[in-house]
Amino acid sequence: MASVIGSVLDKREHDRSDILAMLQCSEEDVPLLYRRAAAVRDRYIGNTIFLRGLIEYSNMCGKNCLYCGIRRQNDKVVRYTLTNDEVIEAALTAHRLKLGSIAIQAGENWSKSFIDNMEELIRTIRKLTDGQLGITLSLGEQSRETYQRWFEAGAHRYLLRIEAASEALYRKVHPDDAMHRYERRIECLRMIQETGYQTGTGVMIGLPFQTMSHLADDVIFMRDFDIDMCGMGPFIEHSDTPLGVNGADNLFMKERFNLTLRMIAIIRIIMKDINIVASTAMQAIDPTGREKAIACGANVVMPNLTPTKYRPGYKLYEGKPAFSEINEQNISGLKLSLIPGTTLGLGVWGDTPHYSRRMARI
Ligand code: SAH
Ligand code: SF4
Protein backbone atom coordinates (compact mmCIF):
# COMPACT_ATOMS: atom_id res chain seq x y z
CA MET A 1 0.00 0.00 0.00
CA ALA A 2 1.34 3.43 -0.90
CA SER A 3 2.15 5.47 2.19
CA VAL A 4 -0.24 8.26 3.10
CA ILE A 5 2.56 10.76 3.47
CA GLY A 6 3.93 9.90 0.02
CA SER A 7 1.03 11.59 -1.77
CA VAL A 8 1.31 14.67 0.48
CA LEU A 9 5.05 14.94 -0.14
CA ASP A 10 4.53 14.73 -3.88
CA LYS A 11 2.28 17.78 -3.98
CA ARG A 12 3.74 20.96 -5.45
CA GLU A 13 2.00 23.20 -2.94
CA HIS A 14 1.01 22.37 0.61
CA ASP A 15 -1.98 23.73 2.48
CA ARG A 16 -2.75 23.70 6.18
CA SER A 17 -4.15 20.18 6.13
CA ASP A 18 -0.99 18.91 4.39
CA ILE A 19 1.15 20.58 7.06
CA LEU A 20 -0.92 18.90 9.77
CA ALA A 21 -0.60 15.57 7.96
CA MET A 22 3.19 15.93 7.96
CA LEU A 23 3.22 16.98 11.61
CA GLN A 24 1.16 13.97 12.60
CA CYS A 25 2.30 11.29 10.19
CA SER A 26 2.98 7.82 11.60
CA GLU A 27 6.39 6.78 12.89
CA GLU A 28 6.86 4.52 9.86
CA ASP A 29 6.41 7.50 7.56
CA VAL A 30 8.83 9.78 9.40
CA PRO A 31 12.02 8.56 7.64
CA LEU A 32 10.33 9.34 4.33
CA LEU A 33 9.57 12.90 5.50
CA TYR A 34 13.15 13.45 6.67
CA ARG A 35 14.69 11.97 3.54
CA ARG A 36 12.52 14.14 1.32
CA ALA A 37 13.48 17.27 3.28
CA ALA A 38 17.20 16.50 2.96
CA ALA A 39 16.73 15.86 -0.77
CA VAL A 40 14.94 19.21 -1.18
CA ARG A 41 17.86 20.96 0.54
CA ASP A 42 20.41 19.22 -1.66
CA ARG A 43 18.45 20.06 -4.79
CA TYR A 44 17.67 23.72 -4.07
CA ILE A 45 20.71 24.93 -2.12
CA GLY A 46 23.17 22.05 -2.14
CA ASN A 47 24.55 19.86 0.60
CA THR A 48 26.90 22.45 2.14
CA ILE A 49 26.60 23.18 5.85
CA PHE A 50 27.38 26.81 6.72
CA LEU A 51 28.80 27.99 10.03
CA ARG A 52 28.12 31.03 12.22
CA GLY A 53 30.39 31.52 15.20
CA LEU A 54 28.06 32.42 18.08
CA ILE A 55 29.12 35.23 20.39
CA GLU A 56 26.83 35.59 23.43
CA TYR A 57 27.67 39.22 23.97
CA SER A 58 25.69 40.00 27.13
CA ASN A 59 23.09 38.41 29.42
CA MET A 60 21.72 41.76 30.59
CA CYS A 61 18.10 41.87 29.51
CA GLY A 62 15.37 44.42 30.00
CA LYS A 63 12.62 41.89 29.29
CA ASN A 64 10.90 39.23 31.30
CA CYS A 65 9.82 36.47 28.89
CA LEU A 66 8.26 33.80 31.09
CA TYR A 67 10.37 30.97 29.65
CA CYS A 68 13.85 32.47 29.63
CA GLY A 69 16.59 31.89 32.19
CA ILE A 70 18.16 35.34 31.74
CA ARG A 71 14.89 37.29 32.14
CA ARG A 72 15.31 40.52 34.06
CA GLN A 73 13.64 39.27 37.21
CA ASN A 74 15.89 36.22 37.59
CA ASP A 75 18.15 37.65 40.26
CA LYS A 76 20.19 34.44 40.53
CA VAL A 77 21.93 35.31 37.27
CA VAL A 78 25.32 37.00 37.52
CA ARG A 79 25.15 39.58 34.75
CA TYR A 80 28.01 40.09 32.29
CA THR A 81 28.86 41.95 29.11
CA LEU A 82 31.90 40.97 27.06
CA THR A 83 34.53 43.63 26.62
CA ASN A 84 35.04 44.91 23.09
CA ASP A 85 38.43 43.22 23.04
CA GLU A 86 36.81 39.88 23.90
CA VAL A 87 34.24 40.27 21.12
CA ILE A 88 36.91 41.22 18.61
CA GLU A 89 39.09 38.31 19.66
CA ALA A 90 36.17 35.89 19.20
CA ALA A 91 35.43 37.41 15.79
CA LEU A 92 39.05 37.07 14.72
CA THR A 93 39.03 33.45 15.88
CA ALA A 94 35.99 32.86 13.66
CA HIS A 95 37.85 34.48 10.77
CA ARG A 96 41.02 32.46 11.41
CA LEU A 97 39.04 29.22 11.58
CA LYS A 98 37.28 30.19 8.32
CA LEU A 99 33.81 30.02 9.82
CA GLY A 100 32.75 32.67 7.30
CA SER A 101 30.50 34.58 9.65
CA ILE A 102 29.56 35.31 13.23
CA ALA A 103 26.27 35.80 15.07
CA ILE A 104 26.17 38.27 17.94
CA GLN A 105 23.38 37.53 20.41
CA ALA A 106 22.34 39.15 23.69
CA GLY A 107 19.49 40.03 25.98
CA GLU A 108 17.53 43.10 25.01
CA ASN A 109 19.19 46.42 25.74
CA TRP A 110 17.98 49.72 24.34
CA SER A 111 20.50 52.04 26.01
CA LYS A 112 22.36 54.58 23.92
CA SER A 113 25.71 53.22 25.07
CA PHE A 114 24.76 49.67 24.00
CA ILE A 115 23.52 50.79 20.59
CA ASP A 116 26.53 53.05 19.95
CA ASN A 117 28.98 50.42 21.08
CA MET A 118 27.41 47.71 18.91
CA GLU A 119 27.66 49.99 15.88
CA GLU A 120 31.31 50.56 16.64
CA LEU A 121 31.95 46.84 17.11
CA ILE A 122 30.31 45.95 13.80
CA ARG A 123 32.44 48.55 11.97
CA THR A 124 35.62 47.39 13.69
CA ILE A 125 35.02 43.71 12.92
CA ARG A 126 34.26 44.45 9.29
CA LYS A 127 37.39 46.57 9.02
CA LEU A 128 39.71 44.10 10.74
CA THR A 129 38.55 41.26 8.50
CA ASP A 130 38.54 43.31 5.26
CA GLY A 131 34.78 42.95 5.05
CA GLN A 132 35.18 39.20 4.75
CA LEU A 133 33.47 38.08 7.94
CA GLY A 134 29.66 38.07 7.76
CA ILE A 135 27.74 39.46 10.73
CA THR A 136 24.35 38.27 11.96
CA LEU A 137 22.64 40.04 14.85
CA SER A 138 20.14 38.68 17.33
CA LEU A 139 19.62 41.60 19.68
CA GLY A 140 15.87 41.70 19.99
CA GLU A 141 13.39 44.51 19.46
CA GLN A 142 14.96 47.84 18.56
CA SER A 143 13.92 51.05 16.82
CA ARG A 144 13.94 51.38 13.03
CA GLU A 145 16.81 53.84 13.38
CA THR A 146 18.89 51.34 15.36
CA TYR A 147 18.27 48.54 12.85
CA GLN A 148 19.31 50.96 10.10
CA ARG A 149 22.48 52.09 11.87
CA TRP A 150 23.65 48.54 12.53
CA PHE A 151 22.84 47.60 8.93
CA GLU A 152 24.84 50.53 7.58
CA ALA A 153 27.71 49.62 9.89
CA GLY A 154 27.91 46.23 8.15
CA ALA A 155 25.57 43.69 9.76
CA HIS A 156 23.53 41.92 7.10
CA ARG A 157 21.41 39.28 8.80
CA TYR A 158 19.06 39.62 11.75
CA LEU A 159 17.33 36.89 13.70
CA LEU A 160 14.24 37.73 15.73
CA ARG A 161 12.11 34.75 16.63
CA ILE A 162 8.38 35.34 16.71
CA GLU A 163 8.44 32.61 19.40
CA ALA A 164 4.79 31.70 18.71
CA ALA A 165 2.93 32.93 15.64
CA SER A 166 -0.41 32.65 17.41
CA GLU A 167 -1.06 35.88 19.31
CA ALA A 168 -3.07 34.03 21.96
CA LEU A 169 -0.19 31.64 22.63
CA TYR A 170 2.37 34.46 22.52
CA ARG A 171 0.43 36.22 25.26
CA LYS A 172 0.42 33.11 27.41
CA VAL A 173 4.20 32.88 27.49
CA HIS A 174 4.95 36.58 27.98
CA PRO A 175 3.99 39.05 30.69
CA ASP A 176 0.98 41.18 29.87
CA ASP A 177 2.65 44.57 29.64
CA ALA A 178 3.77 47.14 27.10
CA MET A 179 7.23 45.62 26.83
CA HIS A 180 5.98 42.25 25.58
CA ARG A 181 3.51 43.00 22.81
CA TYR A 182 2.92 40.61 19.92
CA GLU A 183 2.18 43.48 17.52
CA ARG A 184 5.51 45.09 18.39
CA ARG A 185 7.35 41.84 17.67
CA ILE A 186 5.71 41.66 14.24
CA GLU A 187 6.41 45.34 13.59
CA CYS A 188 10.10 44.82 14.42
CA LEU A 189 10.33 41.79 12.14
CA ARG A 190 8.80 43.88 9.37
CA MET A 191 11.28 46.74 10.01
CA ILE A 192 14.19 44.30 9.90
CA GLN A 193 13.02 43.00 6.54
CA GLU A 194 12.41 46.51 5.19
CA THR A 195 15.86 47.66 6.30
CA GLY A 196 17.32 45.07 3.96
CA TYR A 197 18.58 42.40 6.34
CA GLN A 198 18.38 38.74 5.49
CA THR A 199 15.59 38.15 7.92
CA GLY A 200 15.24 35.20 10.23
CA THR A 201 12.59 34.11 12.63
CA GLY A 202 11.43 30.97 14.35
CA VAL A 203 9.49 29.48 17.21
CA MET A 204 9.94 27.30 20.24
CA ILE A 205 8.44 23.85 20.03
CA GLY A 206 6.78 22.23 23.02
CA LEU A 207 5.67 25.40 24.79
CA PRO A 208 2.96 24.95 27.41
CA PHE A 209 -0.52 25.32 25.81
CA GLN A 210 0.92 24.73 22.33
CA THR A 211 -1.03 22.45 19.98
CA MET A 212 -0.38 20.92 16.53
CA SER A 213 -2.69 23.55 15.17
CA HIS A 214 -0.39 26.29 16.55
CA LEU A 215 2.61 24.62 14.92
CA ALA A 216 0.83 24.48 11.55
CA ASP A 217 0.13 28.20 11.94
CA ASP A 218 3.81 28.80 12.72
CA VAL A 219 4.78 27.18 9.41
CA ILE A 220 2.21 29.26 7.54
CA PHE A 221 3.43 32.42 9.27
CA MET A 222 7.03 31.82 8.20
CA ARG A 223 5.98 31.00 4.65
CA ASP A 224 3.74 34.08 4.34
CA PHE A 225 6.34 36.37 5.88
CA ASP A 226 8.74 35.06 3.24
CA ILE A 227 11.61 34.73 5.71
CA ASP A 228 15.17 34.01 4.58
CA MET A 229 16.31 32.11 7.66
CA CYS A 230 14.68 29.96 10.28
CA GLY A 231 15.91 29.17 13.78
CA MET A 232 13.65 26.85 15.75
CA GLY A 233 14.30 24.77 18.81
CA PRO A 234 12.57 22.80 21.50
CA PHE A 235 11.36 24.70 24.55
CA ILE A 236 13.39 23.54 27.55
CA GLU A 237 12.33 24.53 31.05
CA HIS A 238 14.55 26.62 33.28
CA SER A 239 13.69 26.17 36.94
CA ASP A 240 14.20 29.84 37.84
CA THR A 241 11.45 30.99 35.49
CA PRO A 242 7.65 31.10 35.79
CA LEU A 243 7.23 28.47 33.04
CA GLY A 244 9.85 26.16 34.46
CA VAL A 245 9.20 25.97 38.17
CA ASN A 246 9.28 22.18 38.04
CA GLY A 247 12.58 22.03 36.17
CA ALA A 248 13.18 20.28 32.87
CA ASP A 249 10.36 17.84 32.22
CA ASN A 250 12.28 14.98 30.65
CA LEU A 251 9.20 12.89 30.13
CA PHE A 252 8.17 14.99 27.14
CA MET A 253 11.60 16.17 26.03
CA LYS A 254 11.97 13.43 23.43
CA GLU A 255 8.58 14.32 21.94
CA ARG A 256 9.60 17.96 21.66
CA PHE A 257 12.86 16.96 20.06
CA ASN A 258 11.14 14.75 17.49
CA LEU A 259 8.53 17.39 16.79
CA THR A 260 11.31 19.93 16.18
CA LEU A 261 12.84 17.56 13.62
CA ARG A 262 9.47 17.31 11.89
CA MET A 263 9.08 21.11 11.90
CA ILE A 264 12.53 21.52 10.34
CA ALA A 265 11.69 18.96 7.67
CA ILE A 266 8.33 20.61 6.91
CA ILE A 267 9.78 24.13 6.66
CA ARG A 268 12.47 22.80 4.33
CA ILE A 269 9.92 21.07 2.11
CA ILE A 270 7.71 24.15 1.96
CA MET A 271 10.28 26.98 1.78
CA LYS A 272 13.00 25.01 -0.05
CA ASP A 273 15.88 27.50 -0.38
CA ILE A 274 16.08 29.27 3.00
CA ASN A 275 18.76 28.80 5.65
CA ILE A 276 17.64 26.60 8.55
CA VAL A 277 19.64 26.37 11.75
CA ALA A 278 20.32 23.15 13.59
CA SER A 279 19.94 24.80 17.01
CA THR A 280 22.02 24.30 20.13
CA ALA A 281 18.86 23.45 22.07
CA MET A 282 18.62 20.28 19.92
CA GLN A 283 22.06 19.33 21.17
CA ALA A 284 21.02 20.00 24.77
CA ILE A 285 18.48 17.17 24.52
CA ASP A 286 20.47 14.78 22.34
CA PRO A 287 24.27 15.04 21.97
CA THR A 288 23.86 14.33 18.25
CA GLY A 289 20.80 16.58 17.95
CA ARG A 290 22.32 18.98 15.47
CA GLU A 291 23.51 16.17 13.21
CA LYS A 292 19.97 14.76 13.25
CA ALA A 293 18.60 18.20 12.33
CA ILE A 294 20.98 18.33 9.36
CA ALA A 295 19.87 14.88 8.27
CA CYS A 296 16.34 16.27 7.93
CA GLY A 297 17.03 19.47 6.08
CA ALA A 298 18.89 22.00 8.27
CA ASN A 299 21.98 23.62 6.72
CA VAL A 300 23.44 26.00 9.32
CA VAL A 301 25.28 25.32 12.58
CA MET A 302 26.39 27.87 15.16
CA PRO A 303 29.49 26.73 17.06
CA ASN A 304 29.81 28.71 20.29
CA LEU A 305 32.72 31.16 20.49
CA THR A 306 31.74 32.87 23.74
CA PRO A 307 34.73 32.83 26.11
CA THR A 308 34.15 29.77 28.31
CA LYS A 309 34.14 31.66 31.60
CA TYR A 310 30.94 33.53 30.61
CA ARG A 311 29.00 30.52 29.40
CA PRO A 312 27.37 29.55 32.70
CA GLY A 313 25.89 33.08 32.68
CA TYR A 314 24.04 32.56 29.39
CA LYS A 315 21.71 29.77 30.41
CA LEU A 316 18.47 30.51 28.58
CA TYR A 317 17.37 26.96 29.43
CA GLU A 318 18.68 24.06 31.46
CA GLY A 319 21.27 21.63 30.13
CA LYS A 320 22.70 24.14 27.64
CA PRO A 321 26.12 22.79 26.61
CA ALA A 322 28.81 24.97 28.18
CA PHE A 323 31.92 23.17 26.94
CA SER A 324 34.17 24.40 24.23
CA GLU A 325 33.42 22.31 21.19
CA ILE A 326 35.46 23.82 18.43
CA ASN A 327 39.14 24.07 17.67
CA GLU A 328 41.49 23.80 14.72
CA GLN A 329 40.83 20.06 14.45
CA ASN A 330 37.05 20.30 14.53
CA ILE A 331 35.90 23.74 13.52
CA SER A 332 32.23 22.91 13.17
CA GLY A 333 31.91 21.00 16.43
CA LEU A 334 29.91 18.52 14.37
CA LYS A 335 30.26 14.77 14.36
CA LEU A 336 30.51 14.79 10.60
CA SER A 337 30.62 11.01 10.37
CA LEU A 338 26.96 11.05 11.41
CA ILE A 339 25.86 13.13 8.46
CA PRO A 340 27.27 11.54 5.35
CA GLY A 341 26.85 13.36 2.08
CA THR A 342 27.35 16.90 3.39
CA THR A 343 30.33 19.24 3.19
CA LEU A 344 31.34 22.29 5.23
CA GLY A 345 31.19 25.75 3.67
CA LEU A 346 34.44 27.28 4.86
CA GLY A 347 35.33 30.96 4.53
CA VAL A 348 32.02 31.89 2.91
CA TRP A 349 29.01 33.84 4.19
CA GLY A 350 26.54 31.18 3.16
CA ASP A 351 23.76 33.53 2.08
CA THR A 352 20.48 32.10 0.92
CA PRO A 353 19.47 32.22 -2.72
CA HIS A 354 16.05 32.97 -1.25
CA TYR A 355 17.22 36.44 -0.19
CA SER A 356 18.49 37.40 -3.64
CA ARG A 357 15.29 36.14 -5.24
CA ARG A 358 13.19 38.10 -2.74
CA MET A 359 15.20 41.30 -3.29
CA ALA A 360 14.94 40.92 -7.07
CA ARG A 361 11.16 40.97 -6.73
CA ILE A 362 11.06 44.22 -4.71
N1 SAH B 1 17.03 38.60 23.48
C1 SAH B 1 16.99 38.22 22.12
C2 SAH B 1 18.01 37.15 21.75
C3 SAH B 1 18.40 36.19 22.83
S1 SAH B 1 17.20 35.02 23.30
C4 SAH B 1 15.59 37.77 21.75
O1 SAH B 1 14.84 37.40 22.62
O2 SAH B 1 15.28 37.83 20.56
C5 SAH B 1 17.30 33.88 21.93
C6 SAH B 1 16.21 32.86 21.86
O3 SAH B 1 16.35 31.92 22.92
C7 SAH B 1 14.80 33.36 22.03
O4 SAH B 1 14.31 33.90 20.84
C8 SAH B 1 14.04 32.11 22.47
O5 SAH B 1 13.37 31.50 21.39
C9 SAH B 1 15.16 31.17 22.97
N2 SAH B 1 14.88 30.72 24.35
C10 SAH B 1 14.75 31.48 25.45
N3 SAH B 1 14.40 30.71 26.51
C11 SAH B 1 14.30 29.43 26.07
C12 SAH B 1 13.96 28.18 26.66
N4 SAH B 1 13.64 28.10 27.95
N5 SAH B 1 13.96 27.08 25.89
C13 SAH B 1 14.30 27.15 24.58
N6 SAH B 1 14.62 28.30 23.96
C14 SAH B 1 14.62 29.44 24.68
FE1 SF4 C 1 15.47 38.62 27.18
FE2 SF4 C 1 15.48 37.31 24.82
FE3 SF4 C 1 15.36 35.98 27.17
FE4 SF4 C 1 13.24 37.38 26.37
S1 SF4 C 1 14.14 35.57 25.32
S2 SF4 C 1 14.10 37.39 28.43
S3 SF4 C 1 14.23 39.12 25.37
S4 SF4 C 1 17.04 37.22 26.40
Side-chain angles (χ1 to χ4, degrees):
M1 196 183 78
S3 90
V4 183
I5 202 69
S7 60
V8 173
L9 291 177
D10 287 340
K11 287 188 176 179
R12 289 172 72 106
E13 304 229 330
H14 300 89
D15 61 18
R16 197 167 188 285
S17 68
D18 298 323
I19 296 170
L20 280 167
M22 291 189 269
L23 275 169
Q24 294 172 309
C25 72
S26 70
E27 282 303 316
E28 296 92 82
D29 279 345
V30 164
L32 214 56
L33 177 72
Y34 293 173
R35 276 205 303 275
R36 177 62 65 96
V40 168
R41 178 198 56 215
D42 294 353
R43 171 158 177 220
Y44 284 85
I45 55 171
N47 62 356
T48 307
I49 308 304
F50 297 110
L51 305 168
R52 323 272 181 245
L54 176 64
I55 304 175
E56 294 158 334
Y57 172 55
S58 170
N59 67 357
M60 313 254 281
C61 187
K63 287 178 77 179
N64 254 322
C65 307
L66 300 180
Y67 41 83
C68 178
I70 62 169
R71 61 198 301 273
R72 189 184 69 229
Q73 276 173 6
N74 183 4
D75 51 22
K76 292 193 189 155
V77 174
V78 181
R79 304 288 166 173
Y80 74 82
T81 299
L82 265 57
T83 64
N84 283 2
D85 282 350
E86 285 167 331
V87 177
I88 289 164
E89 195 186 323
L92 293 178
T93 301
H95 192 45
R96 181 168 48 84
L97 294 178
K98 295 197 167 37
L99 300 193
S101 65
I102 52 168
I104 304 178
Q105 195 183 80
E108 241 176 77
N109 188 333
W110 318 282
S111 70
K112 183 176 179 320
S113 58
F114 179 89
I115 294 166
D116 290 350
N117 191 56
M118 187 52 62
E119 183 179 8
E120 184 60 36
L121 269 173
I122 297 166
R123 284 193 199 284
T124 308
I125 293 168
R126 290 302 296 263
K127 201 159 141 217
L128 290 176
T129 61
D130 292 328
Q132 285 173 23
L133 192 65
I135 302 180
T136 306
L137 300 179
S138 179
L139 303 169
E141 296 167 31
Q142 301 286 345
S143 68
R144 187 183 284 276
E145 188 210 337
T146 301
Y147 289 138
Q148 185 70 40
R149 276 175 58 190
W150 291 343
F151 185 73
E152 279 167 15
H156 57 107
R157 304 186 185 108
Y158 204 107
L159 181 65
L160 184 78
R161 287 186 178 178
I162 188 64
E163 316 294 3
S166 142
E167 180 169 2
L169 180 58
Y170 187 92
R171 290 164 76 114
K172 285 200 165 105
V173 298
H174 293 94
D176 183 15
D177 63 30
M179 212 184 277
H180 301 83
R181 289 273 175 262
Y182 177 81
E183 308 86 71
R184 171 76 183 147
R185 198 87 182 159
I186 301 271
E187 192 193 352
C188 283
L189 206 48
R190 185 77 62 204
M191 288 192 295
I192 290 165
Q193 203 175 49
E194 286 168 1
T195 304
Y197 287 98
Q198 293 176 48
T199 304
T201 194
V203 296
M204 278 175 286
I205 293 150
L207 284 167
F209 318 107
Q210 195 177 44
T211 62
M212 289 294 182
S213 177
H214 287 131
L215 291 174
D217 290 341
D218 289 339
V219 173
I220 290 168
F221 175 88
M222 291 189 260
R223 181 196 66 193
D224 293 350
F225 213 97
D226 207 11
I227 56 164
D228 307 301
M229 328 183 287
C230 173
M232 296 185 293
F235 162 63
I236 304 176
E237 284 87 347
H238 188 300
S239 39
D240 300 324
T241 64
L243 290 184
V245 280
N246 296 320
D249 183 350
N250 289 312
L251 191 59
F252 297 111
M253 221 42 106
K254 196 144 180 42
E255 278 80 354
R256 290 179 211 174
F257 180 85
N258 288 335
L259 212 44
T260 306
L261 290 179
R262 282 188 193 217
M263 282 289 281
I264 289 175
I266 295 168
I267 289 281
R268 171 61 70 205
I269 287 166
I270 290 185
M271 297 204 68
K272 300 190 171 37
D273 60 357
I274 65 169
N275 279 343
I276 304 181
V277 180
S279 70
T280 315
M282 304 288 288
Q283 200 193 7
I285 298 182
D286 176 335
T288 59
R290 293 180 311 175
E291 289 79 359
K292 286 181 178 155
I294 289 169
C296 63
N299 70 317
V300 172
V301 166
M302 299 170 69
N304 199 338
L305 289 179
T306 311
T308 333
K309 69 173 176 186
Y310 294 109
R311 299 213 192 160
Y314 205 82
K315 282 253 162 15
L316 308 176
Y317 47 85
E318 268 160 40
K320 189 164 169 283
F323 50 86
S324 207
E325 53 173 2
I326 67 163
N327 52 42
E328 249 84 12
Q329 279 72 47
N330 182 8
I331 50 177
S332 63
L334 287 170
K335 298 169 185 69
L336 284 170
S337 54
L338 291 177
I339 31 174
T342 54
T343 55
L344 281 181
L346 292 183
V348 288
W349 283 10
D351 288 346
T352 66
H354 186 91
Y355 175 76
S356 356
R357 281 205 299 111
R358 186 164 68 70
M359 294 311 274
R361 280 201 306 272
I362 291 175

